[in-house]
Amino acid sequence: MTGGLPGPDPGARPHPDGRRNSQGARIDPAVEAEPEAQRAVLSATVKHEPGVLAAVSGLFSRRQFNIESLTVGPTEEENRARITLVIEEPEPGIEQAKKQLEKLIPVVSVTELETDATQRELALIKVSGEKPDQVQSVAEMYGGEAVDVSQETVTVEITGSRQKIEAAVDTFHRFEILEVVRTGTAALERGAEETR
Amino acid sequence: MTEQVPPTTQTKAEAQASDAEDAEAAAKQAVSTGAGSVVATLESAGVEHLFGVQGGAIMPVYDALYYSDLNHVTMAHEQGAAHAADAFGIVSGDPGVCLATSGPGATNLVTGIADASMDSDPLIALTGQVPTDFVGNDAFQETDTTGVTDPITKTNYFADDAETIGDVVGEAFAVADEGRQGPTLVDLPKNITQEETETNSGETTTPDTYNPPEEADEDIVEAATDALAAAEKPVILAGGGVIKGEATDELRAFAREYEIPVITTMPGIGAFPEDEELSLEVAGMHGTGYANMAVTHCDVLLGVGTRFDDRLTGGVDSFAPEAEVIHVDIDPAEISKNINADYPLIGDAGRVMDQLDDELDNRPDPADRYAEWREQVGTWKEEYPMDYATPDDEPLKPQFVVEVLDEATEDDTVVTTGVGQHQMWAFQFWTYTEPRTWVSSHGLGTMGYGLPAAIGARLAADDDQSVVCFEGDGSFLMTVQELSVAVRENLDITVAVLNNEYVGMVRQWQDGFFEGRRMASEYSWCPDFAKLAEAFGARGFTVADYDGVEDAVEAAVEYDGPAVIDFHIDPEENVFPMVPSGGKNGKFALQTDHLDQL
Ligand SMILES: Cc1ncc(C[n+]2csc(CCOP(=O)(O)OP(=O)(O)O)c2C)c(N)n1
Ligand SMILES: [Mg+2]
């Protein structure tokens, strides 16, 4: 190898002590402060047109944002759909996710919902049909009901918060769960507050 | 052979008609189709040049071009079309337009679109698509073009309605141009462009949901100004956004008034004149020692229109580790993406610079406070000069070649480059003083960018501006076929191949980080580039001696058409300074053995 330029060695040069964390924020060199992941519910109003869902899910996968769930459906406005995303990220990541979402041209607006927002998920749980009565009473315990019954199976529908669904799924394990399907979280702000 | 007809006087249809002495054909109007609306929209948007390659699914659009005054430049390869359009956008400031057919035509554009996306270059790509009835059936030359290009466009469109096709193209044009610039794409199914419909010349307007910010939050402007007023060691970091946002004047005025040293990113080259004392040139992996010292030791860093790319920052942990960061950007998503912004100023670069200026004007002039810092920076300039050793004997040093070409051309000369060592020497040893004179592939690092970019730059530049293209042997070989276009169009371009018979940047890394195992990096098998140039119909020169450099440069620059000089340079020459990937900017290597110390 040839070439090179004059000047003091790297070792002979002063260097400041400061440091930044992986988010590029300056930190006290003495402390190791990496922000922890949090759960956030984002609601995006989007133009109801082909390709939007692909654009949103593509964005989240290529930027490595952790998605817990993603739901989409029409809204009160024609030509508008709402996508509800539940993500798990450290604070700067949540901000990034919101801003990247907002940048997509067919995305009209994005909000991060308050933690007390109304959040609901629906699950269909298909269990063995050996004890239909017991299945029915457990379903009622969770405010759900049997929606399909056959010789071999009972399918119940449960609606509620993610925690409630998880508890229900846990409980139904005693009846031998055959299949589960969950919609992911849909959410709206409480009271008069709009989910824009 | 037919004569080259200036596009503004006669359409191709008229020209052919008079050739054939068939007045009827000239009188015949194009049937009004979706494709006609596409072309009408481009015309009303002010487009003059298009770069593309014909093919089945895009034929209706070309047929509409037949009746148009637009100058279509047929390229040898669609990648060349995309790079030419991209460079046209960089030099002119207005979106460049490229066209391709469906399938392989569209996929050949992909590299160029990705390049434009990484560098925020204004570009629109128009791609043919199979008829809508065939879409989804894996039809001949069907590719899911909007799917493929979704991650590399600002947005893209599938035009499935002939009546609104003009509006879609108009919107694509406006979105590429406004806010943070970037590429857009419109996929044009053949049945839609062929469909008879009233000509709809679409308006170049962005959708109502697209509203780029203009002025930054006043409170944050005030707080940022406080930080600047209290600073002892401020620097300005000017990114490509300064040039793209037409904020060069504001930035220069601000730096000069308060006497703040200016560093640029690579895309920011030309934002501040490199021959001014305040200029520290470029920071980052191959930036100057003084710029890297300044960015490491500053206490306030005013970044304007930069995305703090990793080739600039090196390891994030050691980037400007003591500095409060003021970040001006039109794209909110760039704020605190890589480097946390203590003062996020979201808005148009020029407007925000004015806001800062107004605010700082109300404080005691800080220029004197910064005097000691400027002196320190001056010391670094003396300590870390860009003085390469020029031996009396060959092999030629590439840095010398760059300097001779700079000397031989005017200040407003546009330089385009390929990717590799030659690209680094081309910015390190050329003195840039004007915006839109440095045209390179930064974020994507696309080998082969230089020559097609020179074609686009040539058409965008003023007639009296020179265009010089620096290429490496490896990079040149990737798009060399575009020389045929430069010859056909008689474009005045000087191509300097800094031929080291290696993919030299790779060879440098192999020597530095892979114990010299030169796997697949030796390129002595390249053709004789001077002969190749002559075969294309360009002028070709070969230079291996110091004595020959000036004459060849003079002859090539004088020659009114494309000329290629194959400079046989020192194959072992390396690019320094160098901050290894993820390293500390302040610990740049000046010699190979410094790399071991890092
Ligand atoms: C399309 C593409 N392929 C591969 C690379 C990886 N790469 C980066 S620099 C380089 C060497 C380029 O060689 P050359 O054009 O001869 O330039 P030099 O470094 O020798 O000046 C290579 C292979 C790239 N940047 N782009
Ligand atoms: Mg080379």
Side-chain angles (χ1 to χ4, degrees), chain B residues 419-422 425 445-447 472-475 478 498 500 502-506:
Chain B
V419 166
Q421 292 181 313
H422 62 281
W425 292 316
T446 311
M447 282 170 73
D473 40 331
S475 194
M478 287 206 178
L498 301 182
N500 50 11
Y502 276 102
V503 282
M505 188 57 92
V506 171

Side-chain angles (χ1 to χ4, degrees), chain B residues 82-83 85-91 93-96 112-124 152-154 175-177 180-184 240 243-244 267 436 438-444 449 453:
Chain B
H83 291 327
D86 171 275
F88 183 91
I90 294 173
V91 175
D94 302 319
I113 298 171
D115 191 288
S117 174
M118 288 294 255
D119 286 355
S120 310
D121 300 331
L123 172 77
I124 77 168
I152 54 169
T153 49
K154 270 182 90 170
V175 171
D177 194 26
R180 179 180 177 179
Q181 293 183 318
T184 59
I243 296 169
K244 299 260 155 60
R436 305 190 185 283
W438 164 255
V439 180
S440 194
S441 170
H442 311 102
L444 199 66
Y449 178 80

Side-chain angles (χ1 to χ4, degrees), chain B residues 1 4 52-53 73-78 80 451-452 455 476 479-491 493 495 532-539 561-564:
Chain B
M1 272 200 37
Q4 185 78 42
V53 178
V73 181
T74 304
M75 301 295 289
H77 189 292
E78 290 87 353
L451 177 60
I455 292 171
F476 190 43
T479 54
V480 70
Q481 70 275 14
E482 304 302 343
L483 256 186
S484 56
V485 176
V487 170
R488 188 193 68 223
E489 304 283 324
N490 193 34
L491 301 179
I493 293 167
V495 181
L532 187 63
E534 298 279 352
F536 276 112
R539 291 291 307 275
V564 175

Side-chain angles (χ1 to χ4, degrees), chain A residues 1-26 47 50-51 54-56 58-59 62-63 80 92 96 99-100 102-108, chain B residues 150-151 155 175 180 207 209-210 296-297 316-317 319-325 331-333 335 337-338 340 383-385 387 508 511 570 572-574 576-577 584 586-588 590-592 594 597-598:
Chain A
M1 269 178 134
T2 63
L5 298 167
D9 275 23
R13 294 175 215 145
H15 198 278
D17 296 330
R19 215 158 59 78
R20 290 179 186 272
N21 65 13
S22 63
Q23 264 74 34
R26 275 180 310 136
K47 290 192 181 158
V56 169
L59 168 71
R62 73 175 171 270
R63 294 210 178 258
R80 292 281 185 268
Q96 253 301 302
K99 291 191 287 194
Q100 292 291 350
E102 270 161 8
K103 225 169 110 166
L104 297 177
I105 306 283
V107 171
V108 179
Chain B
D150 173 74
T155 195
V175 171
R180 179 180 177 179
T209 53
Y210 184 76
T296 301
H297 292 271
V316 163
D317 58 339
F319 177 73
E322 311 264 85
E324 287 203 287
V325 173
D331 180 358
I335 302 290
K337 185 185 79 179
N338 293 336
N340 182 66
E383 273 184 329
Y384 303 101
D387 285 345
Q508 176 169 347
D511 290 356
D570 185 349
E572 302 293 320
E573 186 65 20
N574 287 320
F576 289 108
K584 292 180 163 71
K587 298 286 183 183
F588 50 86
L590 293 166
Q591 317 269 340
T592 301
H594 287 177
Q597 298 177 29
L598 304 178

Side-chain angles (χ1 to χ4, degrees), chain B residues 141-220:
Chain B
Q141 295 194 328
E142 180 189 356
T143 297
D144 174 9
T145 303
T146 53
V148 167
T149 59
D150 173 74
I152 54 169
T153 49
K154 270 182 90 170
T155 195
N156 63 30
Y157 305 84
F158 183 78
D160 58 359
D161 180 0
E163 267 177 45
T164 58
I165 197 168
D167 294 325
V168 171
V169 172
E171 181 177 312
F173 194 90
V175 171
D177 194 26
E178 285 177 36
R180 179 180 177 179
Q181 293 183 318
T184 59
L185 177 144
V186 187
D187 205 22
L188 303 164
K190 192 173 186 179
N191 60 319
I192 304 294
T193 49
Q194 269 178 325
E195 192 176 315
E196 286 188 30
T197 175
E198 230 161 82
T199 304
N200 150 244
S201 164
E203 299 232 352
T204 43
T205 46
T206 53
D208 52 6
T209 53
Y210 184 76
N211 299 300
E214 290 173 4
E215 287 202 342
D217 184 305
E218 270 301 335
D219 291 342
I220 309 179

